[in-house]
Amino acid sequence: MGLFDKIKKLNIFSGLFSIDEDFFEELEEALILSDMGMDTTLKAVEELRERVRGEKLKDRDEVRACLRRVLQDMLNVGDTGLALDTRPAVVLFIGGNGVGK
């Protein structure tokens, strides 16, 4: 099961919903448990806090969409093309065991 499958199964947006500190702490814990990583999770949750406050989001669907935008922005790293025009070309693959490198 990949990271995004784990995030989909979080159920953080189910049941009663209020955007308070408990929500952000529960989201943080759920993202860490889904193998997102401590530093990345802390950055994502802090960015979500700022956007929720700045955009005055109140609705569950708005917050979910905002979290999706935050994660998409974090994944946007610019040009991802490989420059294999040199010989020999070296490519480094990193990732956890069993993730399909």
Side-chain angles (χ1 to χ4, degrees):
M1 180 183 312
L3 172 67
F4 294 108
D5 294 327
K6 290 179 183 179
I7 290 173
K8 285 179 185 179
K9 291 185 177 190
L10 290 179
N11 292 332
I12 191 79
F13 293 99
S14 64
L16 297 175
F17 187 77
S18 63
I19 306 168
D20 55 6
E21 190 58 32
D22 290 338
F23 165 76
F24 289 112
E25 287 177 10
E26 189 176 334
L27 175 63
E28 187 176 293
E29 180 181 347
L31 291 174
I32 290 169
L33 290 174
S34 69
D35 296 332
M36 189 164 174
M38 180 66 88
D39 293 338
T40 305
T41 295
L42 294 176
K43 287 178 190 176
V45 171
E46 185 58 35
E47 179 66 23
L48 181 64
R49 271 191 183 103
E50 291 175 10
R51 290 187 188 190
V52 165
R53 197 174 317 124
E55 298 174 20
K56 296 178 176 61
L57 303 178
K58 304 280 186 215
D59 184 59
R60 173 188 328 207
D61 293 330
E62 291 175 338
V63 175
R64 182 183 297 150
C66 187
L67 176 60
R68 187 176 299 122
R69 287 192 308 271
V70 167
L71 296 176
Q72 286 173 340
D73 291 347
M74 291 178 79
L75 289 173
N76 186 10
V77 294
D79 183 22
T80 59
L82 292 174
L84 300 175
D85 52 352
T86 61
R87 297 284 186 244
V90 178
V91 180
L92 173 66
F93 291 92
I94 59 172
N97 293 336
V99 297
K101 295 182 294 292

